[in-house]
Amino acid sequence: MKKINIGIIGFGTVGTGTVKILLNQRDLIKKRTGLDLVLKKVADRDLERPRDISLPKELLTKDAWEIIKDPEIDVVVELVGGTTIAKEFILEALRNGKHVVTANKALLAEHGNEIFKEALQRGLKIGFEASVGGGIPIIKVIKEGLVANKMLAIYGIINGTTNFILTKMTYEGIDFQDALREAQTLGYAEADPTLDIEGIDSAHKITILASLAYGIPFSFNSVYCEGITKITAQDIAFAKEFGYKIKLLAITKILDGEIELRVHPTMVPEHYLISKVDGVFNAIYVEGDCVGSTLYYGRGAGSMPTGSAVVADIVDIAKGINTMPVDFSEKYTIKPMQEIESMYYFRFNALDRPGVLSKISGVFGEHNISIASVIQKGRSKAGAVPLVILTHKAKEKDVLRALEEIDKLPVVSDKSVFIRVEGEES
Ligand code: NDP
Ligand code: HSE
């Protein structure tokens, strides 16, 4: 039976899940694949921290380089995270002739071009299934299952932490910070949770999906990125009144040779399947020209689901299945965000006086923005009340110009809020 020796660097959330799976499912994997996955060494700078699996001392080291230099190790699994030391570990592992598996989307999105080039030149493989969608095999879907398709669009909830937070805010009225703390305790959040809540983690992941889908270089710096920190309980409640849920969507689509690449909170019709994806679950909608619409769903973060994806990559590498793109040099143009078209939700804090709505709608009219529905809540003789407007499709640049004017109107207090809306036009 073919033996594969594995060294893991990083014995944290994902490292622990991977170790558990390698040990507990070893026989199952042997039976299914004819491969014996042998855990040879695990490195972490802190070996004393309690973990819910303990390993014999001889399997542990504080020195990651011991794994990278070990001539008996076939596959190095990088589960440290970040874009500095992790990059050195991966490049050095490749230089030492090792195949690599990583869950590190930040590293691939920002330095993937360099890392894949190194691997290709050396005829080595990099597995990165765990970098997007946790336990959902979405990388395999795009590379293999849908290989015969031109990809037309990908829409995804691809960050478990933010979906968990939005779900807690929507159903349990739990405050943002408390929900984030819970996601951190459960091991969903990044070491720096700003990456999750500001949409950067989703931007990393959509960068990877877009490269696979369109064969383009990793283009993280071109992703438009907005997180969920400005979403309020009030907006969630208004969205519900209009029949929508607020989700952090990562979107890439191609039209007339131009690629959209964006991450932002989005109002999605409540009856859409993706609206029903709650908690840490992720869902990714992929549209191919042959297959049409497809949807993939599962746990997007956490120790065991992510470990499951890591081990799948090790098996693919051992079987000689190509785990990485062979060409991502396609020429491309990213559509500027101001050129995109969407429907929009606006919330103004406006004085409750006759003529206010017509002033605001007048500005919309001047900028080719057509109103679909309006809600005004509460009554106030002196103060401002929320005025909520949904529009038909409009150009982002027109919306930004209109908002600049509306925010200067004396009848509007506070900065206005807007959220992009997906779905059919009413
Ligand atoms: P953790 O912080 O839980 O684990 C990382 C571990 O690596 C920590 O124990 C850390 O130690 C250790 N480490 C850091 N630097 C070194 C070093 N130089 N040498 C040896 N060990 C080191 O992170 P996660 O397991 O959550 O994430 C790992 C990777 O997986 C990241 O790239 C992340 O983005 C990705 N990922 C995470 C998912 C999740 O659900 N958590 C899901 C999908 C991907 P210390 O604590 O002392 O820093
Ligand atoms: N922090 C990430 C998330 C981990 O919440 O989705 C999985 O990539």
Side-chain angles (χ1 to χ4, degrees):
M1 182 170 290
K2 186 172 171 188
K3 268 194 177 177
I4 304 295
N5 288 328
I6 298 151
I8 297 180
I9 309 175
F11 198 12
T13 304
V14 183
T16 305
T18 305
V19 165
K20 277 195 207 166
I21 294 170
L22 284 174
L23 298 183
N24 299 340
Q25 314 287 74
R26 186 170 172 180
D27 286 339
L28 174 83
I29 294 169
K30 266 188 204 168
K31 280 192 198 135
R32 285 218 176 119
T33 65
L35 297 165
D36 187 12
L37 305 188
V38 183
L39 182 61
K40 184 93 193 318
K41 207 91 194 179
V42 178
D44 197 287
R45 56 186 173 196
D46 177 2
L47 298 177
E48 313 309 321
R49 187 170 355 117
R51 294 171 168 90
D52 52 2
I53 186 156
S54 64
L55 289 176
K57 271 210 164 75
E58 61 275 15
L59 247 60
L60 292 166
T61 177
K62 281 192 169 183
D63 181 10
W65 298 106
E66 203 184 301
I67 290 180
I68 291 165
K69 289 178 190 151
D70 185 338
E72 287 184 5
I73 285 182
D74 304 298
V75 179
V76 171
V77 181
E78 181 279 308
L79 298 174
V80 157
T83 53
T84 51
I85 189 71
K87 183 180 172 196
E88 285 180 45
F89 288 157
I90 290 182
L91 288 176
E92 202 50 33
L94 293 170
R95 288 178 195 129
N96 281 292
K98 319 278 185 212
H99 300 291
V100 169
V101 173
T102 181
N104 194 335
K105 55 272 168 153
L107 182 61
L108 293 183
E110 294 179 32
H111 300 284
N113 296 319
E114 181 186 347
I115 290 170
F116 281 115
K117 191 171 164 204
E118 186 76 33
L120 274 174
Q121 276 170 356
R122 293 174 185 275
L124 293 163
K125 300 191 176 82
I126 299 182
F128 54 103
E129 185 60 74
S131 66
V132 185
I136 309 170
I138 188 65
I139 304 287
K140 213 171 176 63
V141 163
I142 296 176
K143 273 192 303 111
E144 296 175 27
L146 301 184
V147 70
N149 287 257
K150 273 191 190 148
M151 299 300 168
L152 304 177
I154 300 177
Y155 289 70
I157 296 173
I158 48 178
N159 181 271
T161 301
T162 45
N163 204 42
F164 181 86
I165 294 172
L166 290 173
T167 304
K168 288 272 168 189
M169 287 172 76
T170 305
Y171 292 115
E172 297 172 34
I174 288 181
D175 136 88
F176 186 101
Q177 287 304 334
D178 288 342
L180 171 59
R181 260 190 296 277
E182 203 177 331
Q184 287 177 291
T185 309
L186 291 165
Y188 302 154
E190 295 302 300
D192 172 6
T194 319
L195 295 177
D196 296 293
I197 61 179
E198 294 296 358
I200 302 162
D201 179 71
S202 293
H204 286 143
K205 291 166 175 167
I206 201 71
T207 300
I208 295 171
L209 294 184
S211 283
L212 289 178
Y214 309 123
I216 61 172
F218 291 82
S219 314
F220 171 65
N221 290 331
S222 304
V223 184
Y224 172 83
C225 180
E226 218 180 273
I228 62 162
T229 48
K230 295 195 189 93
I231 298 297
T232 61
Q234 196 179 31
D235 293 317
I236 291 173
F238 279 129
K240 188 169 171 44
E241 267 189 61
F242 283 114
Y244 290 87
K245 287 240 200 102
I246 300 178
K247 295 289 180 190
L248 183 68
L249 283 197
I251 299 172
T252 183
K253 49 185 171 181
I254 190 161
L255 200 63
D256 302 328
E258 275 194 321
I259 294 173
E260 290 185 23
L261 209 42
R262 51 190 166 105
V263 172
H264 48 73
T266 309
M267 280 174 37
V268 187
E270 259 173 344
H271 65 275
Y272 277 27
L273 283 175
I274 212 156
S275 255
K276 302 183 196 306
V277 175
D278 286 324
V280 71
F281 281 84
N282 282 192
I284 304 146
Y285 163 92
V286 184
E287 192 184 335
D289 63 343
C290 308
V291 73
S293 302
T294 61
L295 184 68
Y296 309 89
Y297 171 81
R299 283 177 202 279
S303 179
M304 295 298 278
T306 315
S308 157
V310 169
V311 175
D313 270 344
I314 299 173
V315 168
D316 273 2
I317 286 175
K319 283 179 169 173
I321 294 172
N322 204 356
T323 44
M324 51 195 276
V326 284
D327 181 17
F328 42 97
S329 60
E330 201 67 37
K331 298 263 178 302
Y332 68 104
T333 319
I334 303 289
K335 192 177 212 172
M337 191 60 191
Q338 293 189 337
E339 296 300 326
I340 72 140
E341 277 196 358
S342 173
M343 297 177 289
Y344 290 84
Y345 156 100
F346 296 94
R347 178 168 53 76
F348 303 104
N349 236 6
L351 290 185
D352 188 11
R353 283 201 206 133
V356 169
L357 180 58
S358 73
K359 278 207 170 71
I360 292 175
S361 61
V363 177
F364 275 162
E366 282 162 26
H367 291 278
N368 298 316
I369 303 165
S370 149
I371 292 176
S373 23
V374 179
I375 300 181
Q376 186 189 307
K377 281 282 167 180
R379 292 241 52 190
S380 166
K381 282 202 178 123
V385 290
L387 175 69
V388 179
I389 295 179
L390 279 196
T391 73
H392 293 293
K393 266 199 175 158
K395 271 215 162 142
E396 179 103 354
K397 66 178 169 203
D398 292 332
V399 162
L400 295 179
R401 282 186 198 136
L403 273 183
E404 215 181 306
E405 281 181 37
I406 291 171
D407 278 350
K408 284 185 195 145
L409 293 175
V411 292
V412 170
S413 63
D414 304 338
K415 201 167 157 39
S416 310
V417 169
F418 77 99
I419 300 174
R420 296 167 193 89
V421 179
E422 284 290 331
E424 299 91 28
E425 290 205 72
S426 53

